[in-house]
Amino acid sequence: MGPALRFSVVICVHTEDRWDDILAAVASVHGQSHPAHEVLLVVDHHAKLLDRLREHFGGARTGAPAPGAPPVPVLIMANSGPRGLSAGRNTGIASADGEIIAFLDDDAVAERDWLRHFAAAYADPAVLAVGGRTEPVWAAGRRPVWFPEEFDWVVGCTYRGLPPGKVRVRNVLGGNASFRRIAFDLVGGFPIGIGRDGDRRPLGCEETELCIRISRTLPDAVLLIDDRAVIHHRVPAERQRFGYFRRRAYAEGLSKALVTRSVGARDGLAAERRHTARVLPVGVLRGLRDALLGRPGGAARAGAILAGTAAAAAGYARGTLRTRNASSTRQNKGVDTFADDGTTAVTAAHEEAAV
């Protein structure tokens, strides 16, 4: 057996409001049964938070812990790119020293064997990415009765319809994922502009675009989800409201328009078409059945599935129209539509996200 894989864990942070969550996330990495090589905290254009973290963790930016510091070194750094999650992750990738780079949300905690299950999957050299299962931790202590499990992706969690066990997938989910460093060396990093960007609409799909790019560049690459690699993701009260649910679904549609503009509808929407055709109708019927049986929230869950699907479709239609119009304008002006790393130009999406 060769030497143990070194995991660099990247946690992107952007607000002091999550201070306790950030510390809990770091502590969960320190407690792994497969020890992490390092933790990289990337601060997204927030000088006060950057200084506070450096003071708390002793300002360490070396490869070894300072006296009295945690056993796993914590490296604190500022996002070196534009504001947003993708640029923050790319900053962490550039500074990471491990063979495997894992990503953990700043408001999530990983179970003790999170990295151990990731490491086991990488025993196969064809595996270039491994994701896990993300369980919601509802602020109210329980799931809202109207919130359908088929839409748990709205709050960044594993949703009903994903296959159980250890399975091949088109893409991993970004808040609980890992990649071989060589994947980034070969295809580049996360696309700038597709994902979350501070106070803009809650966009997403940057990991989808990256994973499709990996599979296209390396057709033999294996991307997995192992649902034993579990993290627990906090869902604050404001994200348990129907207004956020609808906005997030609409923003997902916008993001999918960007992804399909970059990689085409066949790859960009393959999983979504299956989910819409096979999983969501069953969810609606389940909700209506529960309503007929007098179970709480059944009709509301069925209605939420229909409303969320309609919002995502509307976002996709609007995003497609805007990107087509923007592309036509850029081509008329002789401006390239695509960035050098194969990701799509996203000016139109940023304009739409600001609406």
Side-chain angles (χ1 to χ4, degrees):
M1 180 179 292
L5 288 171
R6 296 181 304 160
F7 278 80
S8 297
V9 180
V10 175
I11 304 174
C12 295
V13 303
H14 69 281
T15 175
E16 286 189 279
D17 294 342
R18 293 184 178 179
W19 178 257
D20 290 339
D21 293 328
I22 295 168
L23 299 187
V26 173
S28 74
V29 178
H30 287 158
Q32 290 296 300
S33 58
H34 180 109
H37 173 64
E38 60 187 354
V39 179
L40 299 95
L41 288 177
V42 183
V43 182
D44 193 15
H45 298 272
H46 194 309
K48 185 177 179 182
L49 177 58
L50 181 68
D51 291 341
R52 186 178 179 187
L53 286 168
R54 283 177 173 168
E55 180 179 0
H56 180 84
F57 288 105
R61 282 192 43 81
T62 64
V72 177
V74 179
L75 314 184
I76 316 297
M77 62 198 65
N79 177 3
S80 61
R83 185 183 300 274
L85 182 57
S86 287
R89 287 172 172 167
N90 291 340
T91 297
I93 292 166
S95 299
D97 189 46
E99 295 89 8
I100 309 295
I101 302 174
F103 298 92
L104 179 66
D105 278 345
D106 64 344
D107 53 357
V109 294
E111 291 191 358
R112 175 174 171 77
D113 292 333
W114 179 57
L115 293 182
R116 184 173 69 84
H117 290 303
F118 281 173
Y122 285 112
D124 180 353
V127 173
L128 291 189
V130 185
R133 186 171 86 249
T134 301
E135 296 286 352
V137 180
W138 304 97
R142 54 187 292 181
R143 172 186 296 274
V145 294
W146 64 268
F147 203 112
E149 293 182 23
E150 292 83 357
F151 274 77
D152 276 5
W153 56 263
V154 165
V155 291
C157 295
T158 301
Y159 51 90
R160 184 193 292 269
L162 285 178
K166 185 177 178 181
V167 293
R168 292 188 68 164
V169 292
R170 179 194 66 181
N171 64 275
V172 297
L173 304 180
N176 178 9
S178 62
F179 298 83
R180 288 192 194 270
R181 165 174 286 284
I182 192 174
F184 299 115
D185 295 339
L186 292 173
V187 309
F190 289 92
I192 301 300
I194 290 181
R196 289 182 181 267
D197 186 12
D199 56 359
R200 297 185 184 274
R201 285 191 191 274
L203 300 171
C205 296
E206 63 272 27
E207 64 275 0
T208 301
E209 192 278 342
L210 171 64
C211 288
I212 292 173
R213 199 165 4 117
I214 290 172
S215 294
R216 285 187 167 185
T217 304
L218 304 164
D220 294 331
V222 175
L223 286 66
L224 299 174
I225 285 181
D226 186 340
D227 65 7
R228 298 172 300 172
V230 180
I231 70 170
H232 299 269
H233 185 271
R234 190 173 68 84
V235 183
E238 60 268 21
R239 295 190 179 184
Q240 298 177 203
R241 301 188 180 107
F242 182 73
Y244 178 83
F245 176 91
R246 185 176 56 192
R247 290 193 303 274
R248 177 68 184 88
Y250 180 81
E252 184 76 359
L254 290 175
S255 302
K256 284 292 188 295
L258 288 174
V259 171
T260 57
R261 177 66 181 164
S262 178
V263 304
R266 187 188 67 176
D267 291 336
L269 295 178
E272 289 74 16
R273 286 173 175 148
R274 287 194 299 270
H275 189 70
T276 302
R278 301 177 185 177
V279 178
L280 297 187
V282 175
V284 171
L285 293 175
R286 185 183 300 109
L288 294 176
R289 179 203 63 189
D290 288 348
L292 290 174
L293 294 174
R295 296 169 181 168
R301 287 193 298 276
I305 290 173
L306 295 174
T309 303
Y316 179 78
R318 183 69 179 275
T320 299
L321 179 62
R322 294 294 294 269
T323 53
R324 284 176 179 172
N325 290 342
S327 175
S328 177
T329 299
R330 285 192 295 272
Q331 288 174 356
N332 289 338
K333 293 180 179 179
V335 178
D336 289 339
T337 304
F338 295 95
D340 290 339
D341 64 356
T343 62
T344 189
V346 292
T347 302
H350 276 186
E351 292 171 354
E352 170 64 20
V355 173

